[in-house]
Every structure is written in C-alpha cells, then in structure tokens.
Amino acid sequence: MTGTWVNKPLGELVSLQRGFDLPTKNRVPGQYPVISAGESIGTHNVAKVKGPGFAIGRITNLGQPHWSDSNFWPLNTTLFATDFHGNNPKWLFYLFKVLDLRGFDSGSVQPSLNRNYISNVSVSTPPRETQDNIVSVLKSLDDKIDVNILIIQESLELLHAQWHAITNAEVSSTQPLSDIADVNPRTPKPQSNECSFLEMKDLPEFGLIVDHWGKRETKGGTKFRNGDVLLARITPCFENGKMAIVDFLEDDEVGMGSTEYIVFRPKEGVPAAAIHAIISSPEFRGFGYKALTGTSGRQRIAADDLKEIAVPWPSESALTEYRQLADVLLKKATALRNENQVLARTRDELLPLLMSGRITVGEAEDAAHVAGTAASES
C-alpha cells in the first residue's frame, strides 16, 4: 500500500521561517488574521504572508498548525511555511497535525521549537497525486464542518437581529434582569463526581451553543443545566464575548465548569436565545465594564451587580413569535453541531491512517461517506 511512498527529511518538504513581531497595541482590526502559536487570535489591516498557507506553534503548542485561506500575519511565536517544494500545501498542513514535535523542544526556560532541530525528521511521503487525493478526502469533511458552523453563526445573527427588532419596535416595558433570569442560581450538585465539565476555553466567542465531547472527574466549580446561558466574567474573555447556551446534557444532568463564567438561567417562558441576545448587546457589556472588580490584568465582573440592569421587554405576542423562531433555529443549530462532532471524529480517525498510508484513499472515501450519511440522519 505504501510502495510508492519514500522517506524524506522534513526540511526537503517545506521551508519554515520565524514569524514577525506585532504588539497588541499596534494592531488595527482588519481583514487579515493574526496567527499566534497554532491559533488565530484576531485580525490586522496589514498582512505579512501571502495565503493560502499555514503557521505552526513555535513557543507553545509546539508544531501545531493553523491554516489560513487568506493572506495573514504570523506572530513571532510561530514558524510559517515559505516554500512548499512542490508538495500540496494542505497536505503539509495535515502532516503537521499528525507529527509530534514536542520532543524537539530547544528552549531552556520556556518551550521553543527550532526549525533546524526538526529539518531532519524523516517523513513517509507519497507522490503529489496521492497527496492531492488525501487532501480531497479530509478537506471534504472540513468543508462540511465549516458550512455547518456558518449556518449556526447565521442563526445566531438572525436571533439577535430579530430580538433587537422587536424590542426596538414595540417595547411594552423594561424589566430588571433578575426578573427574566436567575443569575448564578442555586443548583444541586451532580450525582457523580464524573460529570460534564466546561472550562473557559470551551466557550466560543459570541457562540450560540457549546461543543462538548465527554465527562471528567471534578469536585467543584460552577453548576449549570440545559438551557442556561454562560458568559465569561473575566477580562479579556468578557470583552471577547465568550458565551454560549448549554444544550448537551442528558435528561436532568447537572454539569460543572469554571468559576470564571456567570450562569444565567431563563425564567419560565423566557427563551434562552433572548437572554443570549441581551447579554451580548453593547449596552449590557458597557454596564458589565462598570461592574468590573479587581486591579489585576484579569478583572472580574461582580455578578450581583448585573441583576438590576433594566432591559427592554417586548409585548407577549411578540415574545411568543420570537420563542417559536428560537425553538426552530436552536434545534437546527444543535443538529448541525451534533453532525459536526461526528464529522470531526471521523476526520480525526482517518487523518493518521491516511497520512501514514495505512488505508487507501478509496477506503477513506467510503468511510467518510458512511459517516456523512449517518451524521445527517442523526
């Protein structure tokens, strides 16, 4: 199966260069992603590297790649690809996904990846045609995941726009936040120490619903239930809008999570999507900044200070129509989120098998088709 593959040193497959300094104070929000150690951390109005391409973590997340379809600015915490030497760039990206380069740490104080240390790493390399076919299989899964994410994001934008439209058009009253949602409500402890747990990193930026992959052992934290809306209460996470609606728990399960987010539990008849729209609004966030406490770089919102914020409230008929829309869109978003988990799991299982030649492209295509069909029917 791997007869046409040859072993080559990594340095012959791709050339890498250290990224460029760009202090936060000098960044101007724009159209180009700023890539840090293996992840995108914002945008800038100038790009340093022509895309498509990728950068890998140099200081942390050693060797972990982040892809960019557009031009981008790789920070000095990365190494970025400057020459693909005739190889498929996306295949090289997937290659770094499976290479474990943590053993090539050259730092004395903090982890650091030196491009010269990894240039002689031996890589089993297929011909370009096989690279293209491998990319086609994996990219088809990634593309479907991206489309689903886009639809979920558009659902969020529609829910926010509709909420602000009805509250601007016909506001029958204002309500203190405490009248429409319990803030950090009392919740019984989970029945078991092994329960669904969410860390701060699990909350997406202005996300609609949470991705969740399993359970872990825990003895404390913030308790939440399905239908709760979670909001980061620390800076800079608060200003980035890290928030989501919980929808993945089983039956009456209680989940646990970081103490650095606030739980908003909608009162009876109040759609979680409405709470989500309210706490993501600029007006709410402006009040949240006033409620920040502490003098360190990571200030926290005092949750009790949020309870009496006056929020516009629509008529009962408008609320009923919004609730119906929210039910439809949230169910669709949840179905797409669940489909993405199946697709991502399939991609992650196929990735090392394809990149090592342990399965053929045809076998992988069959597996991807079966997974896609099952995911869309679930």
Side-chain angles (χ1 to χ4, degrees), residues 98-364:
V98 297
L99 284 179
D100 185 357
L101 299 178
R102 291 172 297 178
F104 294 88
D105 178 7
S106 62
S108 57
V109 177
Q110 65 177 343
S112 180
L113 192 66
N114 188 313
R115 60 184 174 178
N116 296 320
Y117 283 31
I118 63 175
S119 62
N120 290 321
V121 172
S122 182
V123 176
S124 182
T125 308
R128 174 62 189 252
E129 181 180 1
T130 303
Q131 292 180 20
D132 295 344
N133 292 335
I134 290 172
V135 168
S136 178
V137 174
L138 296 173
K139 188 173 182 298
S140 67
L141 293 168
D142 280 336
D143 288 348
K144 176 56 177 171
I145 290 171
D146 289 342
V147 168
N148 287 349
I149 291 173
L150 179 61
I151 294 173
I152 293 172
Q153 186 62 31
E154 289 176 344
S155 298
L156 170 62
E157 292 172 0
L158 177 57
L159 284 169
H160 282 190
Q162 184 65 15
W163 178 257
H164 295 307
I166 65 173
T167 52
N168 288 333
E170 50 165 296
V171 176
S172 60
S173 66
T174 59
Q175 303 269 14
L177 186 61
S178 58
D179 280 1
I180 59 175
D182 291 321
V183 181
N184 283 344
R186 293 182 179 274
T187 305
K189 290 183 178 180
Q191 296 180 353
S192 170
N193 285 342
E194 186 175 294
C195 64
S196 297
F197 190 91
L198 292 178
E199 298 181 17
M200 182 62 67
K201 64 181 179 61
D202 297 321
L203 292 186
E205 291 187 12
F206 293 104
L208 183 58
I209 50 178
V210 183
D211 286 336
H212 189 64
W213 295 89
K215 300 183 179 183
R216 67 174 239 189
E217 191 79 15
T218 180
K219 293 184 178 179
T222 301
K223 297 179 283 293
F224 56 83
R225 289 175 170 167
N226 277 343
D228 288 348
V229 184
L230 309 181
L231 171 70
R233 71 182 186 96
I234 64 171
T235 56
C237 291
F238 169 71
E239 58 206 57
N240 291 342
K242 290 185 75 69
M243 59 187 298
I245 298 172
V246 178
D247 72 336
F248 59 82
L249 298 175
E250 299 175 2
D251 300 326
D252 295 326
E253 180 187 357
V254 174
M256 299 287 288
S258 167
T259 59
E260 295 191 323
Y261 55 70
I262 300 170
V263 176
F264 298 87
R265 182 165 300 160
K267 296 289 183 70
E268 184 176 355
V270 177
I275 303 299
H276 193 289
I278 289 167
I279 65 177
S280 66
S281 68
E283 295 80 10
F284 181 90
R285 293 191 174 265
F287 190 95
Y289 275 112
K290 296 177 183 178
L292 289 172
T293 61
T295 57
S296 68
R298 297 184 60 156
Q299 295 176 300
R300 288 162 173 77
I301 299 171
D304 285 346
D305 290 344
L306 304 179
K307 294 180 179 180
E308 299 310 311
I309 297 178
V311 298
W313 201 245
S315 66
E316 189 58 38
S317 61
L319 184 62
T320 298
E321 289 183 9
Y322 182 80
R323 188 184 300 113
Q324 293 170 347
L325 174 66
D327 286 345
V328 171
L329 292 183
L330 285 177
K331 285 178 181 177
K332 179 63 175 178
T334 295
L336 293 176
R337 189 274 315 276
N338 294 342
E339 180 179 341
N340 273 3
Q341 291 185 341
V342 175
L343 295 172
R345 191 177 295 112
T346 301
R347 176 203 59 204
D348 294 344
E349 290 172 353
L350 292 177
L351 179 60
L353 300 176
L354 276 170
M355 297 302 291
S356 63
R358 283 181 283 169
I359 64 171
T360 66
V361 170
E363 291 169 332

Side-chain angles (χ1 to χ4, degrees), residues 15-124:
S15 296
L16 299 170
Q17 178 180 317
R18 181 172 171 171
F20 308 95
D21 291 343
L22 183 62
T24 302
K25 65 180 180 180
N26 293 341
R27 297 175 197 171
V28 180
Q31 60 180 313
Y32 304 112
V34 175
I35 299 179
S36 184
E39 60 182 358
S40 179
I41 60 167
T43 61
H44 190 47
N45 65 343
V46 175
K48 274 287 191 179
V49 178
K50 186 176 181 179
F54 65 90
I56 65 173
R58 184 183 71 84
I59 297 301
T60 57
N61 298 325
L62 302 187
Q64 287 301 302
H66 185 87
W67 180 264
S68 176
D69 284 317
S70 67
N71 298 348
F72 62 100
W73 186 301
L75 293 179
N76 62 353
T77 56
T78 71
L79 298 171
F80 68 94
T82 60
D83 190 339
F84 306 116
H85 298 290
N87 297 290
N88 186 308
K90 196 79 172 188
W91 180 83
L92 290 168
F93 165 79
Y94 288 126
L95 174 64
F96 280 100
K97 283 278 192 181
V98 297
L99 284 179
D100 185 357
L101 299 178
R102 291 172 297 178
F104 294 88
D105 178 7
S106 62
S108 57
V109 177
Q110 65 177 343
S112 180
L113 192 66
N114 188 313
R115 60 184 174 178
N116 296 320
Y117 283 31
I118 63 175
S119 62
N120 290 321
V121 172
S122 182
V123 176
S124 182

